Amino acid sequence: VQTLLNLPELVDAVMPYTNYVLNESSLSPRHRALLVLRVAWLLGNRPLWATQAKAAREAGVSSSEIRRIAQGPEASGWEPFETTLLRLADELFRNSSVTNSTWQSLSSRYDMNNLMDAVETVNHFIVLSMIYNTLGVQPDADLKDRLPADVAYRIKVPPREPALAAARVEPNPGRG
């Protein structure tokens, strides 16, 4: 990761927002960790997994839960809301949107700030993972966590739903 972080333009433009998403958003540290690690798994991003597995442990995610993140929302042992969080990441990655069912489940516990932060956490780390993967960024040598090599890669999501006919978010007054 160090190589990429030395690019001044990237640091100036992206890192303050990355810091917000990782450390300051309205999501709990545990929920952030679940989303970020699921994105790292979905995109096969080794440096993101290596850095964020350590951070996840600091947020109270156990080693067995970190492994289960790779297994996905279908793995046994998740509480229902965390299953939905992992499903959010899978749906956004695969379908570029989430189902009404996923949105409603998240809305039962999250306010609009939480919902937007959850979606943006997934989106932001999808983009960063694409950048890291394309540039060949490697995990720092001192980080010991690696993507589980013995977990089968699978994503199980429902088909993309038709485009929304009405906004899920109340628009601001005016034109767009």
Side-chain angles (χ1 to χ4, degrees):
V1 179
Q2 186 63 38
T3 303
L4 188 58
L5 298 180
N6 287 333
L7 299 173
E9 300 84 17
L10 184 66
V11 172
D12 290 344
V14 176
M15 293 315 290
Y17 190 67
T18 301
N19 185 56
Y20 167 77
V21 173
L22 277 177
N23 302 307
E24 301 168 9
S25 79
S26 64
L27 304 180
S28 71
R30 179 180 173 84
H31 287 178
R32 283 185 222 136
L34 295 176
L35 292 171
V36 173
L37 283 175
R38 186 61 184 164
V39 168
W41 174 258
L42 291 169
L43 282 102
N45 191 272
R46 297 176 320 151
L48 185 60
W49 184 274
T51 59
Q52 294 310 306
K54 180 180 177 186
R57 278 190 197 84
E58 293 168 2
V61 181
S62 71
S63 293
S64 64
E65 289 173 320
I66 289 170
R67 179 177 172 71
R68 270 202 335 260
I69 292 168
Q71 296 168 335
E74 304 300 320
S76 63
W78 293 117
E79 66 109 55
F81 191 78
E82 290 180 347
T83 296
T84 303
L85 278 173
L86 296 171
R87 188 170 296 119
L88 169 81
D90 287 11
E91 289 178 12
L92 284 170
F93 173 70
R94 179 66 61 143
N95 293 339
S96 301
S97 185
V98 298
T99 62
N100 285 323
S101 173
T102 297
W103 188 261
Q104 291 306 314
S105 292
L106 291 173
S107 297
S108 72
R109 201 155 130 192
Y110 273 180
D111 65 18
M112 188 54 63
N113 288 332
N114 299 137
L115 290 163
M116 293 181 75
D117 278 344
V119 169
E120 188 51 32
T121 297
V122 172
N123 292 334
H124 185 71
F125 286 98
I126 286 173
V127 171
L128 278 184
S129 290
M130 289 177 176
I131 292 168
Y132 287 11
N133 288 347
T134 299
L135 297 176
V137 176
Q138 301 299 308
D140 291 335
D142 64 321
L143 299 173
K144 303 303 177 209
D145 288 292
R146 297 295 182 252
L147 285 167
D150 60 339
V151 175
Y153 185 86
R154 70 176 68 102
I155 306 170
K156 183 179 176 185
V157 297
R160 182 181 295 163
E161 293 179 345
L164 296 173
R168 286 180 172 145
V169 177
E170 187 65 33
N172 290 329
R175 292 190 59 214

